[in-house]
Amino acid sequence: MSQRLRLWLEQGASGYHLRDAATGEPLRWEDPRLRVVAVAGVSFRPGTVDDASFDPGRRLALLPEPNNVHDPNAVAIWNEERTLQAGYVPRETAAQLSGDEQAVSLWRVEGGLRVLIVPADAWVGTPR
């Protein structure tokens, strides 16, 4: 049985860095216990990503689209209120998700957005 993932989001210049809450050590985005993805897909609109509901540190909704005609594994990325869609989880990553993950906006890059995806039981803390 693996240990529950516990992360602190640490403020950076234009988003958040990750720190292991148990050890205090910085985590790299390549850590196998988490996924950091760029928002992708035909519905990606930089203007939407600029909305405050996608600001770094905000919780996001991952909504599977099993009836999507282009990809039955498609997972849409919405703001927490589910009023704006930023785009999709990249196809390769979406196929690996179990459907109960949680997501947090991490970083804005040239009109794009990086999203943290972690297991449902992970604890993600933000600075006080």
Side-chain angles (χ1 to χ4, degrees):
M1 178 178 274
S2 63
Q3 194 173 27
R4 180 180 179 200
L5 181 61
R6 295 178 294 159
L7 303 171
W8 277 112
L9 298 183
E10 193 171 81
Q11 185 70 50
S14 59
Y16 285 94
H17 301 280
L18 305 173
R19 187 168 295 277
D20 187 312
T23 66
E25 294 295 318
L27 287 174
R28 303 208 34 92
W29 291 3
E30 297 84 10
D31 188 298
R33 300 174 295 168
L34 51 92
R35 294 177 174 95
V36 175
V37 300
V39 174
V42 294
S43 71
F44 171 70
R45 293 182 188 94
T48 299
V49 170
D50 292 337
D51 188 85
S53 64
F54 292 104
D55 282 351
R58 297 289 301 262
R59 300 281 175 170
L60 303 175
L62 298 175
L63 300 177
E65 295 183 353
N67 297 323
N68 185 306
V69 296
H70 302 287
D71 180 7
N73 295 313
V75 177
I77 300 173
W78 289 75
N79 61 355
E80 187 174 32
E81 298 80 21
R82 298 179 183 186
T83 57
L84 288 174
Q85 181 183 0
Y88 287 88
V89 172
R91 179 184 295 256
E92 307 78 34
T93 303
Q96 300 169 2
L97 299 179
S98 65
D100 63 349
E101 290 84 1
Q102 55 181 313
V104 178
S105 174
L106 271 188
W107 202 270
R108 281 199 175 105
V109 170
E110 298 176 14
L113 185 68
R114 300 296 183 267
V115 174
L116 170 67
I117 301 174
V118 294
D121 68 344
W123 179 83
V124 181
T126 55
R128 291 171 248 176

